[in-house]
Amino acid sequence: MEKTKITLDENDIPRQWYNISADMPTPLRPPLNPKTLKPITPDELSAIFPMSIIEQEVSTQRWIDIPEEIINIYTLWRPSPLYRAHRLERALSTPSKIYYKYEGVSPAGSHKTNTSIAQAYYNKQAGIKRIATETGAGQWGSALALAGSFFGLDITVYMVKVSFNQKPYRRIQMESWGAKVIPSPSDTTNSGRAILQKDPDNNGSLGIAISEAIEVAATNKDTNYSLGSVLNHVLLHQTVIGLECKKQLELVNDYPDVVIGCCGGGSNLGGVSFPFLYDKINGKALRVIAVEPESCPTLTKGEFRYDFGDTAGLTPLLMLHTLGHDFIPPAIHAGGLRYHADAPQVCQLVQDGLIEARAYGQLSVFEAALLFAKTEGIIPAPESSHAIRCAIDEALISKEEGKAKTILFNLSGHGNLDMMAYASYLEGKIKDYEYPDGLIKESLSKLPVIS
Amino acid sequence: MEKTKITLDENDIPRQWYNISADMPTPLRPPLNPKTLKPITPDELSAIFPMSIIEQEVSTQRWIDIPEEIINIYTLWRPSPLYRAHRLERALSTPSKIYYKYEGVSPAGSHKTNTSIAQAYYNKQAGIKRIATETGAGQWGSALALAGSFFGLDITVYMVKVSFNQKPYRRIQMESWGAKVIPSPSDTTNSGRAILQKDPDNNGSLGIAISEAIEVAATNKDTNYSLGSVLNHVLLHQTVIGLECKKQLELVNDYPDVVIGCCGGGSNLGGVSFPFLYDKINGKALRVIAVEPESCPTLTKGEFRYDFGDTAGLTPLLMLHTLGHDFIPPAIHAGGLRYHADAPQVCQLVQDGLIEARAYGQLSVFEAALLFAKTEGIIPAPESSHAIRCAIDEALISKEEGKAKTILFNLSGHGNLDMMAYASYLEGKIKDYEYPDGLIKESLSKLPVIS
């Protein structure tokens, strides 16, 4: 029997998250209050986040304990399996070894539950009754809906209207866990009403949905806001992925030459790679690759500067790679990667040369996804398929070079609820996107200059 | 930390299937040729099945080796986890322990892959190039599509037309793995054409789809037929479920008082329970419960007699509990339980008092499913939710009686692709079905009498 699945016992679930802020060669630039351009204080954030989360956000402590209550829920799907992709390797005739960590085993189907459970826990501890959030593709909304059901918290999800209408399966999944799902823009908030008054048929955007959720959190004392990516505490919670990978690879006496994750906001990439970057910062030879869609090329074509985290400009200014906060990427099937910027931690590490970035078009990504489905069985989420494309390319390069490598990528979620994207591909309806000349440059030129 | 998930290493995957035909107190009555009423010979079956499968079908050898090639693929999801349902227990305030085996971790999302992989393997060994099959709800078709992709076999799935139109996600899933999916009735077979000539708008039925698939297999030398339940070899392949459960419960020093599975054709019930029934036959105290829908009450209201396995009357006559082979159960959301009969092995064991049968209405089943989703996280398949309903009831009875029990049920699949069923329930559109008086009696009265 060939060793395919490297499993750990639930006693092997990490007891601490790894905080890369403790080890970054260049410390993070602070988030700024957009009015004063001074660093945001914890107090300013406390209207929408519990203090324990704010402390994690600014912490430079290397290891942060995971509360027992969170571990008890993690046991439902963690430790997640690490697979050796024997069949994919054979299909590629590569001398390299390909491993993938599979986060789709969580009940909501992606890595997002690693942080939704933690965020729900800390909010519950702080006496909060309700969490408001936004969702585009639906992965984050469903992860938070699940977390809410475990902790008895009401969850209100503002779902981008076009997704609400096109993705009924995601909506019903959230409702099955007891969440309230509201198509955004809605008449439940001032920001929603303002948009509907101007344009009653507005289909919504992630930016608008964020505005609605933040407004609800800021104006209701018992309600907080929750974000599924980008922020330091979110990436922190995801490091259980990489910590488990290290333990699993040790069991087979292996260590990766390359670690790969797709990158939308950056949370699954951070989760799988930060524990390995700790080794790299300490001298280990290792590459980390962030993979993004050509249609939203934040790390490969964006600028590293201060910008808003949302489209409407309600958040603090963050130092990150951005295409401009009102840049609207084309509608691609990897909805979770359609974000105008990336996590500040990921961006600073790219800036410092510790993470490489690469972009792929949709066609080559779906081609890779189907090869993976037919060899490894799992139909991957379109987002995760970007990491598969890159892993396959790395394996093919190693074949040309005649050098065997050990490649690790994070399969952040399954594609069971993304079947319409596969239908589009199988029917030949998916095309690669080419930017009109100067579009990104124009969007960036609108940003205020902050030195 | 409370012990939630009992995991096994891939080295713990069973190396042999358990064949209950070796131990049944009353031997199975043989399948009969409907024309001669004499027992079917292996040769008569060889037009549509490989000889290795036929041998398993008639074998009375207790243990049958699992080939290494099948184990290598099983490692992609096996051993599947066994969970202790702590949160569900607390929600019920029951003194009992509830365990569930989770088969939804397979890439196709249900236990069906345990046999589809085996059947594809044996057909490949026999030089077969293509397998034809039918699917209603889609679980079986997708499991065989996946197996075909692993062994390089062409898979043709006749999908009941109403499902083909209503369940695009399932169809696309099968196509993503490379299968050809044809809405049935179709113009690709004589039986399909005959029906379309009479009724061009015919929406199809499982019976018609079986006829089309068998016709294709019988008339093409390189094509065989494959069935996802009912037959002995199918239930044999599923016994990996129960064998793993025994090992997992041993690890926590436990043993079930009750073993529960939903029952459509009987394969997941057989899979989880037969290894325990071996103990029961040898004197161990233990109950096994088969749970079926009130709308298709084969074991609770059917008759034990010879009948056809399909609607059109193309199969051998099998000794089983039946509602009559042309009985059309109402359209319920647990499509995988809409079968007019049950596996001969299960029926004989019910007849001998070794398995109990119980029926539930849809409303109480969905109520149980949502309680499970909100406490244990996983949104269950509507079929599997019948087992959940029964496990909850057993836990509640034990609370009334003040007696702690150990309850084990099989969660045969997830409900990620059944969201429309949940939407119907959440919108109050699901009703329990009440039979018109005498409907089942009338259907049974049409059957030929065979002594």
Side-chain angles (χ1 to χ4, degrees):
Chain A
M1 189 178 78
E2 48 187 23
K3 183 86 188 155
T4 301
K5 189 168 60 169
I6 304 151
T7 43
L8 296 173
D9 186 77
E10 60 183 11
N11 292 316
D12 294 314
I13 294 174
R15 294 314 180 101
Q16 296 180 309
W17 292 299
Y18 168 60
N19 180 12
I20 200 163
S21 289
D23 296 301
M24 291 177 70
T26 309
L28 284 178
R29 301 276 291 274
L32 305 180
N33 179 318
K35 285 176 194 154
T36 63
L37 296 188
K38 285 188 181 154
I40 281 277
T41 63
D43 269 3
E44 291 177 271
L45 295 171
S46 67
I48 59 169
F49 293 121
M51 202 44 78
S52 45
I53 293 265
I54 297 169
E55 281 164 15
Q56 291 183 355
E57 187 63 23
V58 299
S59 171
T60 52
Q61 193 184 315
R62 183 170 295 129
W63 295 101
I64 293 177
D65 288 343
I66 307 178
E68 185 88 357
E69 292 87 340
I70 295 174
I71 303 261
N72 277 340
I73 293 180
Y74 276 176
T75 58
L76 289 175
W77 71 94
R78 306 216 69 82
S80 65
L82 179 76
Y83 286 97
R84 170 85 185 272
H86 291 293
R87 279 174 201 78
L88 178 61
E89 289 172 18
R90 284 196 285 267
L92 300 172
S93 304
T94 177
S96 288
K97 288 182 273 189
I98 304 175
Y99 292 95
Y100 58 97
K101 179 75 165 169
Y102 184 37
E103 291 292 309
V105 291
S106 97
S110 83
H111 68 293
K112 294 284 184 191
T113 44
N114 296 327
T115 185
S116 72
I117 299 299
Q119 293 190 49
Y121 168 78
Y122 290 117
N123 275 289
K124 181 76 179 181
Q125 290 294 103
I128 288 298
K129 306 281 182 226
R130 178 169 69 141
I131 301 179
T133 196
E134 72 287 331
T135 201
Q139 279 106 335
W140 169 243
S142 56
L144 194 65
L146 175 71
S149 82
F150 287 145
F151 289 104
L153 287 167
D154 290 337
I155 304 293
T156 302
V157 181
Y158 286 91
M159 187 172 190
V160 177
K161 198 180 274 172
V162 61
S163 293
F164 183 93
N165 292 327
Q166 280 177 1
K167 297 194 160 190
Y169 277 50
R170 276 285 177 198
R171 171 178 61 77
I172 301 158
Q173 193 187 41
M174 292 184 260
E175 290 172 348
S176 297
W177 281 314
K180 189 172 176 188
V181 186
I182 300 172
S184 166
S186 77
D187 61 4
T188 66
T189 64
N190 288 331
S191 41
R193 280 188 293 267
I195 287 159
L196 288 174
Q197 210 163 19
K198 276 191 220 162
D199 175 12
D201 298 326
N202 189 298
N203 257 327
S205 75
L206 207 53
I208 297 167
I210 294 177
S211 307
E212 292 205 272
I214 289 183
E215 182 182 323
V216 167
T219 54
N220 288 279
K221 215 169 180 183
D222 65 352
T223 304
N224 265 348
Y225 172 70
S226 186
L227 198 69
S229 190
V230 180
L231 298 181
N232 302 344
H233 68 274
V234 181
L235 276 62
L236 172 79
H237 301 154
Q238 294 295 353
T239 56
V240 288
I241 301 172
L243 292 168
E244 285 178 9
C245 284
K246 285 180 93 167
K247 212 180 263 192
Q248 285 163 313
L249 286 171
E250 263 171 37
L251 287 178
V252 290
N253 290 315
D254 220 332
Y255 191 89
D257 298 298
V258 196
V259 178
I260 300 165
C262 67
C263 187
S267 77
N268 102 77
L269 171 77
V272 70
S273 68
F274 285 0
F276 290 100
L277 281 175
Y278 172 80
D279 296 344
K280 186 176 166 97
I281 290 166
N282 288 287
K284 188 109 182 167
L286 163 79
R287 290 166 60 212
V288 172
I289 308 178
V291 192
E292 58 186 20
E294 278 179 357
S295 49
C296 192
T298 48
L299 292 170
T300 50
K301 295 199 177 165
E303 270 182 27
F304 185 60
R305 58 185 295 168
Y306 270 107
D307 194 5
F308 293 104
D310 68 325
T311 308
L314 294 180
T315 71
L317 289 163
L318 300 166
M319 188 70 185
L320 32 65
H321 285 84
T322 178
L323 298 171
H325 64 271
D326 61 359
F327 183 85
I328 306 281
I332 58 164
H333 283 292
L337 305 184
R338 288 179 75 240
Y339 182 61
H340 70 274
D342 298 279
Q345 286 178 331
V346 168
C347 293
Q348 186 61 58
L349 291 163
V350 168
Q351 202 63 12
D352 289 347
L354 286 161
I355 299 180
E356 304 166 34
R358 192 178 295 178
Y360 285 106
Q362 283 196 98
L363 279 172
S364 71
V365 165
F366 274 99
E367 183 195 25
L370 281 189
L371 176 60
F372 185 81
K374 286 178 183 169
T375 51
E376 295 296 313
I378 299 162
I379 298 180
E383 290 84 357
S384 322
S385 302
H386 286 70
I388 298 174
R389 173 76 265 170
C390 182
I392 288 175
D393 279 11
E394 287 296 311
L396 292 175
I397 291 168
S398 78
K399 182 175 159 185
E400 272 176 36
E401 297 177 343
K403 279 186 206 161
K405 283 187 289 197
T406 297
I407 300 163
L408 166 67
F409 73 88
N410 190 34
L411 186 62
S412 54
H414 63 63
N416 287 345
L417 298 183
D418 299 288
M419 282 299 134
M420 289 333 226
Y422 282 92
S424 296
Y425 177 73
L426 292 168
E427 291 161 11
K429 289 181 189 162
I430 283 184
K431 283 184 185 147
D432 282 335
Y433 183 82
E434 275 183 48
Y435 277 104
D437 277 348
L439 188 69
I440 293 171
K441 210 172 161 186
E442 188 196 325
S443 164
L444 286 170
S445 70
K446 291 185 211 155
L447 295 185
V449 180
I450 299 160
S451 59
Chain B
M1 189 178 79
E2 49 188 24
K3 184 87 188 156
T4 301
K5 188 167 61 169
I6 304 152
T7 42
L8 296 172
D9 186 78
E10 61 182 13
N11 291 316
D12 294 313
I13 294 174
R15 295 315 182 99
Q16 296 180 309
W17 291 299
Y18 168 61
N19 180 12
I20 201 163
S21 289
D23 296 300
M24 291 178 71
T26 309
L28 284 177
R29 302 274 292 273
L32 305 179
N33 179 318
K35 286 176 192 153
T36 63
L37 296 188
K38 285 190 181 153
I40 281 279
T41 63
D43 270 2
E44 289 177 273
L45 294 172
S46 67
I48 58 168
F49 293 120
M51 202 45 79
S52 45
I53 292 267
I54 297 169
E55 280 164 16
Q56 291 183 352
E57 186 63 22
V58 299
S59 171
T60 52
Q61 192 184 316
R62 182 170 296 129
W63 295 101
I64 293 177
D65 289 342
I66 307 178
E68 185 88 357
E69 292 87 340
I70 295 174
I71 303 260
N72 277 339
I73 293 180
Y74 276 175
T75 58
L76 289 175
W77 70 94
R78 305 216 70 84
S80 65
L82 179 75
Y83 286 98
R84 171 85 186 273
H86 290 292
R87 281 174 199 77
L88 177 60
E89 290 172 19
R90 284 197 285 268
L92 299 171
S93 303
T94 177
S96 288
K97 287 182 274 190
I98 305 175
Y99 292 95
Y100 59 96
K101 179 76 166 168
Y102 185 38
E103 291 293 309
V105 290
S106 96
S110 83
H111 68 292
K112 294 285 184 190
T113 43
N114 297 327
T115 184
S116 72
I117 300 298
Q119 293 190 47
Y121 167 78
Y122 290 117
N123 275 291
K124 181 76 180 183
Q125 290 293 102
I128 288 297
K129 305 280 182 229
R130 177 168 70 143
I131 302 179
T133 196
E134 72 287 330
T135 202
Q139 280 105 334
W140 170 242
S142 57
L144 194 65
L146 175 71
S149 82
F150 287 143
F151 289 104
L153 287 167
D154 290 336
I155 304 293
T156 302
V157 181
Y158 287 90
M159 186 172 191
V160 177
K161 197 180 277 173
V162 62
S163 294
F164 183 92
N165 292 328
Q166 280 177 1
K167 298 193 160 190
Y169 277 49
R170 277 286 177 198
R171 171 179 61 76
I172 301 159
Q173 192 186 40
M174 292 184 261
E175 290 172 348
S176 296
W177 282 313
K180 190 173 177 185
V181 186
I182 300 172
S184 165
S186 76
D187 61 3
T188 65
T189 64
N190 288 331
S191 41
R193 280 187 292 268
I195 286 159
L196 288 175
Q197 210 162 20
K198 276 191 218 160
D199 175 12
D201 297 325
N202 189 298
N203 256 329
S205 74
L206 207 53
I208 295 168
I210 294 178
S211 308
E212 292 205 273
I214 290 182
E215 183 183 323
V216 167
T219 54
N220 289 279
K221 216 170 181 180
D222 64 354
T223 304
N224 265 349
Y225 171 71
S226 186
L227 198 67
S229 189
V230 180
L231 299 181
N232 302 343
H233 68 274
V234 181
L235 277 63
L236 172 78
H237 301 154
Q238 295 294 354
T239 57
V240 288
I241 302 172
L243 292 167
E244 286 179 6
C245 284
K246 286 181 93 166
K247 212 180 264 193
Q248 285 162 314
L249 287 171
E250 265 171 37
L251 287 178
V252 290
N253 290 313
D254 220 332
Y255 192 90
D257 298 298
V258 196
V259 177
I260 300 166
C262 67
C263 187
S267 76
N268 101 78
L269 171 77
V272 69
S273 68
F274 286 0
F276 291 100
L277 281 174
Y278 171 81
D279 297 343
K280 185 176 168 96
I281 290 165
N282 288 288
K284 187 107 184 168
L286 163 79
R287 291 165 61 212
V288 172
I289 308 179
V291 192
E292 58 186 20
E294 277 179 358
S295 49
C296 192
T298 48
L299 293 169
T300 48
K301 295 198 176 165
E303 271 183 27
F304 186 60
R305 58 187 295 169
Y306 271 107
D307 193 5
F308 293 104
D310 68 325
T311 308
L314 294 179
T315 71
L317 290 162
L318 300 166
M319 188 72 185
L320 34 64
H321 285 84
T322 179
L323 298 170
H325 63 272
D326 61 0
F327 183 86
I328 307 280
I332 56 163
H333 282 292
L337 305 184
R338 290 178 74 240
Y339 182 60
H340 71 275
D342 299 277
Q345 286 178 330
V346 167
C347 294
Q348 186 61 58
L349 291 162
V350 167
Q351 202 63 13
D352 289 348
L354 286 160
I355 298 179
E356 303 166 35
R358 191 178 295 179
Y360 286 105
Q362 283 195 100
L363 278 173
S364 70
V365 166
F366 274 99
E367 184 194 23
L370 280 190
L371 176 60
F372 185 80
K374 286 176 185 170
T375 51
E376 295 296 313
I378 299 161
I379 298 181
E383 291 83 358
S384 322
S385 302
H386 286 71
I388 297 174
R389 173 76 263 171
C390 182
I392 288 175
D393 279 11
E394 287 296 310
L396 292 174
I397 291 168
S398 78
K399 182 176 160 184
E400 272 176 36
E401 296 178 345
K403 280 186 206 161
K405 283 187 291 196
T406 296
I407 300 163
L408 166 67
F409 73 88
N410 190 34
L411 185 63
S412 55
H414 64 63
N416 287 344
L417 298 184
D418 299 288
M419 283 298 133
M420 289 334 225
Y422 282 91
S424 296
Y425 177 72
L426 292 169
E427 291 161 10
K429 289 182 188 162
I430 284 184
K431 284 186 185 143
D432 281 337
Y433 183 81
E434 275 182 48
Y435 276 105
D437 276 350
L439 188 70
I440 293 171
K441 211 171 160 187
E442 189 196 325
S443 163
L444 287 170
S445 70
K446 291 184 210 158
L447 296 184
V449 179
I450 299 158
S451 58

